[in-house]
Amino acid sequence: MNCRSEVLEVTVEARQVEESMLALLHTILLHRSTGKFHYKKEGTYSIGTVGTLDIDCDFIDFTFVRVSSEELDRVIRRAVSEFKDALSNSGSDGMGQISLEFYQKKKSRWPFSDECIPWEVWSIKVNVVNLANEQERQICREKVGEKLGEKVINVVEVINRHEYLPKMPTQSEVDNVFDTSLKDVQPYLYKITFQITDSLGTSVSTTMRRLIKDTLAL
Amino acid sequence: MDSGLSPQDKKDLDKFIKFFALKTVQVIVQARLGEKICTHSSSSPTGSDWFNLAIKDIPEVTHEAKKALAGQLPGIGRSMCVEISLKTSEGDSMELETWCLEMNEKCDKDIKVSYTVYNRLSVLLKSLLAITRVTPAYKLSRKQGHDYVILYRIYFGEVQLSGLGEGFQTVRVGVVGTPVGTVTLSCAYRTNLAFMSNRQFERSAPIMGIIVDHFVDPPCNSQRPANMGQPCNYRAPEDDDGPFAGVQDSQEVCTTSFSTSPPSQCVCTLSPSPSKLSKPLPLDSLQIPLAPGHVTHTLYASRLSYQPPALGGAAELSHPTANPNQVLHAGKEGGVVLAPAQPPHGADAHLTVEHAPNTPGSSGDDDGLSNSGYGRRDEGRRCASPSDPVESLNAFTRKIGAFVNKPSAQITAASLDLPFAAFAPRGLDSEENDPMVQPPDSPPCHSPLQASLHSQGSEGSGPQDDFVMIDFRPAFSKDDLLPMDLGTFYREFQNPPQLASLSLHISSQSMADDLDSLPEKLAVYEKNIDEFDAFVDMLQ
């Protein structure tokens, strides 16, 4: 099975990095989360309800919808915050990329650890610019808002192709497909990683690999 | 088209599509109400949340959507459309976008209805949630209120995009294949908003005339009824051919108010005003023959009026212009209106004075409220006028703040806590209202000396415009030993002549004279220089 890979690219000001990343990651996760599964006898299950929340951005003229789950929001915010810090520490005109990867676990026999097989990877390339004056910033606010809107449309377009999705798992397999650690929603298993390239565009000067969702280590 | 589809599956599919259509309308309308939407996730299924999404159901919207569908389902050639338009307070309106739920013939026979189709419809609804925040109308709807409102209209049949102007854009939300066809959800939105500003300049009778004409003649296929929030207005279809048979307009003004209580308690009121027909219509046009297969056009004004709890939560407003009245009452009952402290004009507790009634600033709340319906409460100025001298004595102890917005005449030194401040008349004639003598934004005087500088020597009546001294009887001032008592003394010396050095025009005159006489004086001094030197030596 091939992993689907999508790349989104945005150019933002430093202070807009956090919100733009949150907007896109949450939009993707909104589509890739379901309600909690409740398995019943005979292999049937029922699905909980997913609520949604409108979030207004402070530095961008944009509103996005995210899943109504504070736990999930915290996790994503933490990842984005680390990414933002890494970007700002790297240099003034940093470029970076944050990746959201959805994967499935495949149990292997001992002594081999479980495999993580990605089935969809979203890469968001970020290009940070510095603006000179307030007027430019105001224009940037609106422009980035429009761009994010276009990216949301792109995301929706990809998702609505209804390409490969993991099969709905049985109760024993559910942890191989879904992240069941949250109490109110159930996204597909995912991990967020990022890397920073410096402004010269050379190969990665500092590669920071941070796993927010662990693969099961031995 | 039902080959291979079990009856149960067919039934399920129909149900899914029906509820999908209803939820689609809910999502679109709620996204245009101007408020942020918040619903909660629930891990235990309640059984009533279609597509596993917490989407509230506004009863009126469901009701109207069902009416529009009239028992049918979106099918091939029969699309369900939600039209979003903008209406200004002057009555101009403009279509902003049209959301279309369509079905085409492309079938996906192998797909599992109860599971795959359901999940994909759920994903499509999530996409709709995301996309409704992205189109330009979202930002407009968030700012609706004073100048304009956003209206929605649900219709069933062929999609009409002509009202979107030139160059409209289309965005496809998504598709879901089913065994009976492919469900497609898309949005066409206007990009040319300049139309709005042009029309604003045409605020005149012709536009109103056109709209009036709309309702005199039964509109034909290509003509669209204007979203005017007119009273309910049903028309019989003109003919029975084709899906576009006559247009039925039912127009209602739906005012939805949300209280600030948790989402589950949102109160939605629909107040149609069917009785307020602005024009008498022939009786047969009031029929409601919603025969299946005919196009029904329903028109609603959906406007969120968010009123703070202080105004009584779920206010039922039957007419837009009822808002200001309602708010006005609330304002009068619960609003805060400050009555600035009445400055005492009496010099001390023993003066008998009369106060002229204070005139200004009783405009109060009425001017502050316009047709906004959002409770802009300006604090009215009310000035109490004491009715008798006793009150004025009691008012003596009241003080006025430094920058109270009052006519300067009312700010008197008597209001200050100073010994003889009351004796400093403050006649401020215009020619002597000199910034050099008195700073323009004068805080209350802080010393009697400064207060005395304000005496500008006006003859006759007292310094304040609204202060008329009738009688002056200082207490305990009679002295048998002296021929003069305090009162006489006061009266005599009430308006002393201005000190020459302090009078500006004199001083300016003298300054000019000084300058002129300066050379002479210098010459004299030089002549007597020896005397001066001797004097200085003497001192040393």
Side-chain angles (χ1 to χ4, degrees):
Chain A
M1 162 201 52
N2 288 327
C3 171
R4 192 162 57 237
S5 174
E6 306 294 335
V7 179
L8 306 166
E9 204 161 330
V10 287
T11 301
V12 294
E13 246 196 306
R15 63 182 185 166
Q16 295 171 324
V17 168
E18 187 160 1
E19 284 178 337
S20 53
M21 293 304 102
L22 282 174
L24 293 176
L25 291 174
H26 270 303
T27 299
I28 298 168
L29 277 166
L30 168 70
H31 291 86
R32 292 287 181 242
S33 301
T34 70
K36 296 286 285 178
F37 281 13
H38 295 273
Y39 284 95
K40 297 182 273 207
K41 293 180 217 166
E42 300 125 26
T44 59
Y45 61 92
S46 58
I47 310 180
T49 303
V50 172
T52 57
L53 196 51
D54 285 343
I55 304 290
D56 288 336
C57 295
D58 292 325
F59 300 111
I60 314 174
D61 275 347
F62 192 65
T63 301
F64 63 92
V65 182
R66 70 162 170 87
V67 167
S68 196
S69 164
E70 295 311 313
E71 278 178 275
L72 183 63
D73 188 39
R74 269 199 295 272
V75 171
I76 305 299
R77 277 183 186 273
R78 203 176 338 134
V80 167
S81 170
E82 286 172 12
F83 174 63
K84 186 187 76 164
D85 293 339
L87 257 186
S88 54
N89 291 338
S90 71
S92 56
D93 265 356
M95 284 197 334
Q97 176 176 297
I98 190 166
S99 298
L100 173 60
E101 179 186 304
F102 292 101
Y103 65 95
Q104 265 180 283
K105 270 196 276 195
K106 191 169 155 201
K107 293 249 185 264
S108 301
R109 289 207 221 165
W110 186 90
F112 302 107
S113 61
D114 293 336
E115 270 182 88
C116 292
I117 306 171
W119 51 271
E120 189 174 76
V121 177
W122 296 86
S123 301
I124 308 173
K125 291 201 167 123
V126 181
N127 194 14
V128 181
V129 293
N130 282 328
L131 295 177
N133 61 45
E134 196 53 43
Q135 195 184 7
E136 281 181 35
R137 280 195 201 104
Q138 184 58 34
I139 297 172
C140 182
R141 236 187 112 90
E142 292 162 11
K143 282 230 150 54
V144 170
E146 286 169 17
K147 278 288 169 202
L148 280 181
E150 287 172 28
K151 299 303 161 195
V152 165
I153 293 176
N154 290 351
V155 166
V156 161
E157 205 178 354
V158 168
I159 286 181
N160 274 273
R161 287 187 215 145
H162 298 298
E163 290 166 345
Y164 174 79
L165 276 183
K167 271 197 332 212
M168 285 297 152
T170 58
Q171 189 167 12
S172 53
E173 299 270 300
V174 70
D175 287 314
N176 292 341
V177 176
F178 286 101
D179 173 7
T180 50
S181 64
L182 305 171
K183 65 178 190 316
D184 44 12
V185 294
Q186 190 173 287
Y188 281 100
L189 276 174
Y190 68 95
K191 61 173 114 144
I192 299 179
T193 58
F194 59 85
Q195 54 192 40
I196 311 290
T197 51
D198 64 18
S199 53
L200 296 176
T202 55
S203 61
V204 178
S205 54
T206 48
T207 305
M208 288 156 60
R209 192 162 185 83
R210 191 120 179 94
L211 301 183
I212 303 298
K213 279 311 288 181
D214 275 339
T215 59
L216 252 185
L218 255 182
Chain B
M1 284 295 159
D2 291 349
S3 58
L5 201 61
S6 71
Q8 181 59 38
D9 275 350
K10 176 78 175 82
K11 202 167 125 203
D12 286 345
L13 188 60
D14 286 347
K15 208 159 57 157
F16 294 169
I17 294 179
K18 174 186 163 193
F19 280 97
F20 181 74
L22 295 177
K23 287 293 182 181
T24 296
V25 174
Q26 289 287 348
V27 167
I28 294 169
V29 172
Q30 287 174 26
R32 297 289 175 261
L33 290 175
E35 251 200 353
K36 291 205 291 191
I37 302 295
C38 166
T39 57
H40 299 287
S41 304
S42 158
S43 65
S44 44
T46 59
S48 61
D49 292 321
W50 274 93
F51 307 104
N52 310 119
L53 282 174
I55 298 173
K56 280 197 285 257
D57 280 324
I58 302 177
E60 290 76 21
V61 176
T62 305
H63 174 68
E64 299 307 334
K66 280 182 176 164
K67 238 171 31 169
L69 287 172
Q72 295 174 88
L73 289 176
I76 296 157
R78 301 191 311 266
S79 309
M80 192 188 72
C81 301
V82 182
E83 182 187 280
I84 302 291
S85 55
L86 177 150
K87 182 179 150 192
T88 64
S89 47
E90 284 105 23
D92 296 330
S93 71
M94 176 168 76
E95 257 181 74
L96 295 177
E97 49 186 26
T98 300
W99 298 82
C100 311
L101 178 60
E102 300 168 293
M103 187 83 115
N104 67 29
E105 301 96 5
K106 188 172 158 199
C107 303
D108 186 346
K109 298 277 197 291
D110 300 326
I111 202 168
K112 285 185 69 172
V113 169
S114 63
Y115 160 90
T116 311
V117 171
Y118 189 82
N119 288 335
R120 288 187 180 178
L121 288 174
S122 174
V123 170
L124 187 52
L125 266 182
K126 290 173 184 168
S127 301
L128 181 65
L129 280 163
I131 299 282
T132 44
R133 275 63 172 171
V134 158
T135 53
Y138 180 71
K139 291 205 188 89
L140 285 172
S141 67
R142 288 290 296 270
K143 295 182 196 153
Q144 69 180 296
H146 297 261
D147 299 322
Y148 60 86
V149 291
I150 303 291
L151 314 179
Y152 71 92
R153 180 170 85 101
I154 309 173
Y155 63 91
F156 195 67
E158 259 189 50
V159 181
Q160 296 160 0
L161 299 178
S162 52
L164 293 173
E166 280 181 18
F168 64 86
Q169 300 266 4
T170 312
V171 60
R172 196 167 76 164
V173 181
V175 296
V176 171
T178 76
V180 299
T182 300
V183 175
T184 310
L185 188 52
S186 61
C187 171
Y189 59 92
R190 167 187 283 275
T191 52
N192 180 16
L193 290 170
F195 177 69
M196 194 64 218
S197 51
N198 286 340
R199 288 204 60 185
Q200 275 178 347
F201 292 121
E202 295 169 15
R203 283 179 252 168
S204 54
I207 289 180
M208 295 309 292
I210 289 169
I211 287 167
V212 167
D213 284 340
H214 265 117
F215 295 111
V216 169
D217 304 317
C220 57
N221 293 354
S222 56
Q223 225 178 344
R224 278 200 47 253
N227 304 352
M228 284 301 294
Q230 296 282 336
C232 281
N233 199 351
Y234 294 95
R235 281 178 212 277
E238 279 185 8
D239 55 79
D240 292 347
D241 305 335
F244 252 134
V247 165
Q248 289 191 340
D249 317 314
S250 82
Q251 301 171 352
E252 291 176 310
V253 172
C254 164
T255 308
T256 310
S257 30
F258 283 79
S259 67
T260 53
S261 47
S264 59
Q265 293 178 28
C266 82
V267 174
C268 312
T269 60
L270 171 67
S271 343
S273 47
S275 56
K276 295 185 198 165
L277 289 175
S278 58
K279 297 162 55 69
L281 293 167
L283 278 176
D284 60 0
S285 70
L286 294 176
Q287 289 167 4
I288 316 167
L290 294 174
H294 288 155
V295 171
T296 56
H297 285 237
T298 50
L299 174 70
Y300 307 102
S302 151
R303 185 185 63 224
L304 173 71
S305 62
Y306 177 69
Q307 296 179 345
L311 297 177
E316 301 222 324
L317 307 165
S318 61
H319 196 276
T321 57
N323 283 343
N325 296 329
Q326 198 144 359
V327 172
L328 174 60
H329 295 312
K332 279 192 171 147
E333 293 158 16
V336 175
V337 177
L338 292 183
Q342 176 58 27
H345 294 289
D348 62 18
H350 307 292
L351 290 176
T352 307
V353 297
E354 269 196 17
H355 296 270
N358 293 311
T359 46
S362 302
S363 53
D365 300 305
D366 299 326
D367 296 341
L369 287 166
S370 62
N371 284 334
S372 65
Y374 285 87
R376 234 182 20 189
R377 289 182 255 165
D378 293 345
E379 294 168 5
R381 290 192 50 227
R382 308 246 180 96
C383 303
S385 44
S387 52
D388 59 83
V390 175
E391 269 187 35
S392 75
L393 299 182
N394 295 332
F396 173 65
T397 55
R398 277 191 258 161
K399 296 191 175 50
I400 306 173
F403 301 106
V404 167
N405 181 21
K406 299 176 67 61
S408 56
Q410 290 183 6
I411 301 175
T412 69
S415 65
L416 305 173
D417 199 8
L418 295 166
F420 299 103
F423 290 98
R426 293 171 52 127
L428 300 173
D429 299 335
S430 54
E431 66 198 18
E432 279 145 348
N433 192 357
D434 181 28
M436 289 179 64
V437 177
Q438 180 192 4
D441 296 325
S442 58
C445 306
H446 293 296
S447 70
L449 185 60
Q450 197 174 357
S452 67
L453 280 176
H454 297 162
S455 70
Q456 298 293 331
S458 58
E459 312 279 329
S461 66
Q464 294 90 349
D465 295 336
D466 52 355
F467 175 75
V468 175
M469 189 185 297
I470 304 298
D471 196 1
F472 183 57
R473 287 197 297 269
F476 307 113
S477 64
K478 293 252 183 269
D479 193 341
D480 295 329
L481 301 175
L482 293 173
M484 186 188 282
D485 68 352
L486 187 57
T488 320
F489 173 83
Y490 179 78
R491 271 192 292 275
E492 268 191 42
F493 295 102
Q494 185 180 19
N495 295 313
Q498 191 181 7
L499 291 174
S501 58
L502 293 176
S503 162
L504 188 66
H505 66 270
I506 297 171
S507 66
S508 62
Q509 252 178 342
S510 62
M511 192 185 290
D513 290 339
D514 284 342
L515 286 173
D516 289 339
S517 62
L518 206 52
E520 288 171 357
K521 288 184 186 163
L522 281 176
V524 166
Y525 298 148
E526 275 189 25
K527 223 170 37 174
N528 297 334
I529 201 164
D530 294 335
E531 276 186 34
F532 291 125
D533 286 345
F535 175 70
V536 168
D537 289 339
M538 189 176 69
L539 291 172
Q540 282 174 349

